[in-house]
Amino acid sequence: MTQRQLFLAHVGQTSQAPLALEIVKASGSNLWDVNGKKYIDLIAGISVCNIGHCHPQVVEAIKKQAEQYMHIMVYGELVESPQVAYAKLLTEHLPASLNSVFYTASGSEATEGAMKLSKRFTGRTQIISFKNSYHGSTQGALSIMGDEYWRNAFRPLLPDTVQLNYNSFEDLQQITEKTACVIAETVQAEAGVIVPKNNWLTALRTRCTQTGTLLVLDEIQCAFGRNGSLFAFEQFNVVPDILLLGKALGGGMPLGAFVANKQMMDSLSFNPVLGHINTFGGHPVSCAAGLAALNVLLQQNLISTVKEKEALFLSQLQHPSIKAVRSCGLMLAIEFSDFYFNKKVIDALIEEGVFTDWFLFAANCLRIVPPLVITKEEIIIACQKINNVLNKITV
């Protein structure tokens, strides 16, 4: 059997039509398949590989840590230097109130931990999220997902959850003294890059403060420079009570975290003891990789190029078939008439050596979230191929 046949036969599938590209190498902003075909990567593992694939400093950090020790004990019991060093660097670049990092193995687990922390610290039960929001696929995260299509088959889910309309000032009145937390993406990603408008995020922060509700900002997709600042909330003049991190946090390795004030975080350590635990959270190799990746991001000042590259994409993406282009840094959504047209474009682009896909809640939109190290030349080539494909495809 071929590798593709073995993949389909023995690896659990997420859809009936996986792309099934057999990638054998990745470097910078490029992928190569088993036949030697090269692709410009416009996905970056869904906002994971912000500093590019296989950055030598990250690879070296992984090798060095793997030679010292890998898993030695469940998270939180032993002093592991990669965890400590990474938490120190992260909190040095966060507001003073976000000074305690609880590591998980994924973004979904970070969401779960934040939900538990919110309930434990406030003594409340209601959790509010927003329509067309995505915070993970585990049962708790699924309960606050803002789209019924994706969760209806798995009911019953958590009770006492409410979904509001993102960017609606009127809906903020539904946040009350019964609400433990409000969980929002700083920039809605899977909705097709929806940015908070007219100081709505500030109003959300104010309403949460008024009602004693914790504000949880999900930056699993948009942190680490993706939207043009180290953390996206910096652009909107708000500070969350809890911050969710994942994806690029691990520099290509699996890692998640929720970050809060130490006094709040400590409430998970008693009544009951071990209020939240996990085996592989903060894996030392993942933390070493993430620490190296963040140092690269900061030392090479990659974030300073994001807005310029965003503008270059916008200037190049001009075609009658494009209904709109929404962007926030190097997170862009190209809107077409419908999913079927978009799927034709995506398939044709893969044939042309440009790797991209669509959004969960905006299937008519093509996703562009490349590594931040993508060059201007690669952007121009990718956009030329997009426009060329659009010239050939009929509705």
Side-chain angles (χ1 to χ4, degrees):
M1 296 177 73
T2 66
Q3 283 290 97
R4 188 178 189 280
Q5 290 170 326
L6 290 168
F7 165 75
L8 294 172
H10 300 299
V11 177
Q13 299 296 309
T14 57
S15 78
Q16 295 177 320
L19 290 173
L21 295 176
E22 190 175 343
I23 302 300
V24 297
K25 180 183 175 183
S27 178
S29 299
N30 296 285
L31 310 171
W32 287 264
D33 69 16
V34 69
N35 299 312
K37 182 177 179 179
K38 180 180 177 181
Y39 302 83
I40 296 176
D41 183 9
L42 295 186
I43 302 177
I46 312 295
S47 297
V48 168
C49 305
N50 283 15
I51 65 164
H53 296 279
C54 293
H55 192 285
Q57 288 178 233
V58 174
V59 173
E60 180 59 31
I62 291 170
K63 289 180 178 178
K64 182 178 179 180
Q65 183 56 46
E67 290 174 348
Q68 293 174 342
Y69 61 84
M70 290 185 278
H71 179 74
I72 48 179
M73 183 56 175
V74 295
Y75 169 74
E77 289 297 326
L78 301 181
V79 179
E80 299 183 19
S81 58
Q83 293 179 356
V84 176
Y86 198 12
K88 180 177 182 292
L89 183 61
L90 282 169
T91 55
E92 286 173 351
H93 288 85
L94 284 166
S97 58
L98 296 171
N99 57 15
S100 182
V101 180
F102 196 114
Y103 292 109
T104 64
S106 69
S108 294
E109 292 174 69
T111 299
E112 298 284 346
M115 293 167 72
K116 288 175 66 178
L117 176 59
S118 298
K119 290 182 174 182
R120 174 66 180 85
F121 187 73
T122 65
R124 304 174 183 181
T125 58
Q126 186 186 65
I127 296 177
I128 288 178
S129 58
F130 294 90
K131 295 176 182 177
N132 291 333
S133 62
Y134 181 80
H135 304 289
S137 291
T138 49
Q139 287 278 289
L142 193 65
S143 300
I144 60 171
M145 183 186 288
D147 191 299
E148 190 59 30
Y149 168 80
W150 301 96
R151 57 187 190 155
N152 187 53
F154 305 103
R155 290 188 174 279
L157 298 169
L158 286 182
D160 212 4
T161 62
V162 177
Q163 279 78 46
L164 307 182
N165 291 296
Y166 196 85
N167 273 326
S168 169
F169 287 87
E170 182 180 355
D171 280 9
L172 297 183
Q173 296 307 307
Q174 295 187 50
I175 302 168
T176 70
E177 286 75 10
K178 296 180 180 179
T179 311
C181 69
V182 175
I183 302 182
E185 293 169 274
T186 309
V187 176
Q188 282 197 313
E190 296 303 326
V193 189
I194 305 300
V195 179
K197 299 176 181 177
N198 303 320
N199 294 316
W200 177 79
L201 206 58
T202 305
L204 172 59
R205 169 72 275 181
T206 299
R207 182 61 181 169
C208 286
T209 302
Q210 289 172 344
T211 58
T213 300
L214 300 180
L215 175 60
V216 181
L217 288 184
D218 179 344
E219 298 218 358
I220 292 168
Q221 284 204 45
C222 60
F224 300 100
R226 173 61 54 191
N227 296 131
S229 55
L230 184 56
F231 302 100
F233 67 79
E234 297 171 345
Q235 300 180 41
F236 301 101
N237 196 33
V238 298
V239 176
D241 298 297
I242 304 174
L243 178 66
L244 304 185
L245 299 174
K247 295 193 180 291
L249 177 69
M253 294 289 286
L255 188 64
F258 54 104
V259 187
N261 181 270
K262 178 169 172 50
Q263 179 186 3
M264 185 189 304
M265 194 72 83
D266 282 350
S267 65
L268 290 175
S269 66
F270 62 96
N271 292 336
V273 67
L274 307 177
H276 193 66
I277 54 175
N278 63 96
T279 299
F280 291 112
H283 192 282
V285 177
S286 295
C287 284
L291 176 62
L294 179 53
N295 277 320
V296 168
L297 188 68
L298 297 172
Q299 292 166 4
Q300 297 186 9
N301 205 18
L302 295 176
I303 300 173
S304 66
T305 68
V306 167
K307 290 295 184 180
E308 183 182 3
K309 291 175 180 177
E310 174 191 12
L312 181 58
F313 268 113
L314 293 174
S315 70
Q316 297 289 310
L317 295 170
Q318 306 285 334
H319 194 277
S321 296
I322 297 176
K323 304 299 181 183
V325 180
R326 292 184 296 277
S327 67
C328 187
L330 283 177
M331 180 186 284
L332 300 94
I334 306 176
E335 183 178 338
F336 298 118
S337 57
D338 54 43
F339 168 73
Y340 303 101
F341 185 87
N342 189 30
K343 187 64 167 62
K344 288 181 182 178
V345 174
I346 291 169
D347 291 344
L349 284 172
I350 290 174
E351 287 295 318
E352 293 295 321
V354 177
F355 187 47
T356 184
D357 71 344
W358 44 283
F359 294 90
L360 285 181
F361 310 131
N364 63 321
C365 295
L366 184 146
R367 184 195 306 266
I368 296 181
V369 286
L372 307 189
V373 296
I374 191 171
T375 66
K376 294 178 182 178
E377 292 74 20
E378 287 170 332
I379 292 172
I380 291 170
I381 292 170
C383 290
Q384 286 175 342
K385 291 191 175 186
I386 291 171
N387 289 325
N388 290 341
V389 162
L390 292 176
N391 286 334
K392 296 176 184 177
I393 293 179
T394 57
V395 178

